[in-house]
Amino acid sequence: MRLLPRLLLTLIFLTPLAALGTDVEGDVWGTWTKENSPYNVIGEVRVPPESTLVIESGVVVDFQGHYKFTVDSSATLLAVGTETDSIYFTTEDTATGWHGIRFMSASSNSQVSHCRIEYGRATGELPDNCGGGIFCYGSGITISHNRIAMNSAEGDGGGIFAELCSGMTIGDNLIIENSAETGHGGGIFCEHCDDLAVINNTISDNSAFRGGAIQCVRNINVTVRDNTVNGN
């Protein structure tokens, strides 16, 4: 009979506090580690100007409401997972969703690679209603080897939205089941971009008022090649 209380006490001490996760809101920088994952986003978060946030492989970023993840002017986000250990940007409330990763004139050193970006919902007035999964304005970032799925925008760019971006690469991604409900570019929308490469992506089962897979308008030096496009 004495063993039961001692066993319960042992189990309590063996339960890692890190399993509870880490609540985040406001300005963020430094490193988010797998050990302290999941990171529960309980309000708007921002990488402030000229700061850097590194997100390690295997981290889960779990949005608790319809909050933005903003990477501000000259700030750097390095969300780089691995082929076997992705980074997740997601939410348990898939109906409400979250408000996407939003690069606002961010550093061109920013990378989103080997991530799963899902259930982003871009709503409201311009530009908040564009870029369900990723919104990129004036930022020549690299988006590669991700699964960008089940995001939506009331405006343009259900999966990815890019405007005034120079030197941007969108490559080797799986972009599926995204929608631009009344706008353009269900998978990808790009406008007024220069030196943009959209290469070797699979873009399937996306929908939009126009341009179910991709819509590119008023761009310079845009390369779109070796993509698999079907079912849009």
Side-chain angles (χ1 to χ4, degrees), residues 28-29 46-53 70-78 102-110 137-141:
V28 294
W29 62 86
R46 179 184 74 139
V47 184
E50 301 182 1
S51 300
T52 299
L53 175 65
T70 300
V71 185
D72 219 328
S73 176
S74 299
T76 302
L77 174 65
L78 296 174
R102 307 185 73 80
F103 293 91
M104 306 300 293
S105 300
S107 168
S108 60
N109 294 324
S110 295
Y137 179 85
S139 307
I141 69 172

Side-chain angles (χ1 to χ4, degrees), residues 133-182:
I134 297 175
F135 176 95
C136 193
Y137 179 85
S139 307
I141 69 172
T142 298
I143 302 170
S144 67
H145 300 93
N146 303 290
R147 184 180 189 272
I148 300 170
M150 295 172 288
N151 304 285
S152 68
E154 291 179 347
D156 301 326
I160 299 171
F161 175 95
E163 184 176 6
L164 292 174
C165 296
S166 180
M168 183 176 181
T169 299
I170 302 172
D172 297 285
N173 299 285
L174 179 61
I175 302 171
I176 59 171
E177 297 183 58
N178 304 285
S179 66
E181 296 168 3
T182 60

Side-chain angles (χ1 to χ4, degrees), residues 213-224:
I214 304 172
Q215 181 147 346
C216 293
V217 294
R218 294 182 287 275
N219 299 286
I220 302 172
N221 298 327
V222 172
T223 301
V224 180

Side-chain angles (χ1 to χ4, degrees), residues 10-229:
T10 301
L11 288 173
I12 290 171
F13 278 102
L14 285 177
T15 302
L17 293 177
L20 301 175
T22 305
D23 291 347
V24 290
E25 65 178 334
D27 287 354
V28 294
W29 62 86
T31 302
W32 288 2
T33 65
K34 186 174 181 179
E35 180 183 10
N36 292 319
S37 178
Y39 285 81
N40 303 310
V41 180
I42 59 173
E44 305 282 339
V45 292
R46 179 184 74 139
V47 184
E50 301 182 1
S51 300
T52 299
L53 175 65
V54 177
I55 303 180
E56 292 183 347
S57 60
V59 165
V60 175
V61 184
D62 189 358
F63 289 81
Q64 306 299 300
H66 193 249
Y67 305 127
K68 298 175 186 173
F69 189 117
T70 300
V71 185
D72 219 328
S73 176
S74 299
T76 302
L77 174 65
L78 296 174
V80 181
T82 67
E83 188 173 352
T84 57
D85 205 8
S86 298
I87 297 167
Y88 283 74
F89 292 88
T90 190
T91 180
E92 294 177 18
D93 185 355
T94 59
T96 300
W98 55 292
H99 210 151
I101 307 173
R102 307 185 73 80
F103 293 91
M104 306 300 293
S105 300
S107 168
S108 60
N109 294 324
S110 295
Q111 295 183 52
V112 179
S113 182
H114 291 293
C115 296
R116 292 176 64 110
I117 299 169
E118 55 192 23
Y119 303 115
R121 304 279 183 258
T123 62
E125 302 297 322
L126 279 171
D128 285 347
N129 65 348
C130 296
I134 297 175
F135 176 95
C136 193
Y137 179 85
S139 307
I141 69 172
T142 298
I143 302 170
S144 67
H145 300 93
N146 303 290
R147 184 180 189 272
I148 300 170
M150 295 172 288
N151 304 285
S152 68
E154 291 179 347
D156 301 326
I160 299 171
F161 175 95
E163 184 176 6
L164 292 174
C165 296
S166 180
M168 183 176 181
T169 299
I170 302 172
D172 297 285
N173 299 285
L174 179 61
I175 302 171
I176 59 171
E177 297 183 58
N178 304 285
S179 66
E181 296 168 3
T182 60
H184 306 140
I188 300 170
F189 177 87
C190 53
E191 184 174 18
H192 296 301
C193 293
D194 181 21
D195 192 22
L196 169 68
V198 181
I199 299 173
N200 202 37
N201 301 281
T202 297
I203 306 170
S204 299
D205 300 312
N206 304 284
S207 63
F209 178 68
R210 287 191 180 133
I214 304 172
Q215 181 147 346
C216 293
V217 294
R218 294 182 287 275
N219 299 286
I220 302 172
N221 298 327
V222 172
T223 301
V224 180
R225 64 174 174 81
D226 299 328
N227 299 286
T228 300
V229 180

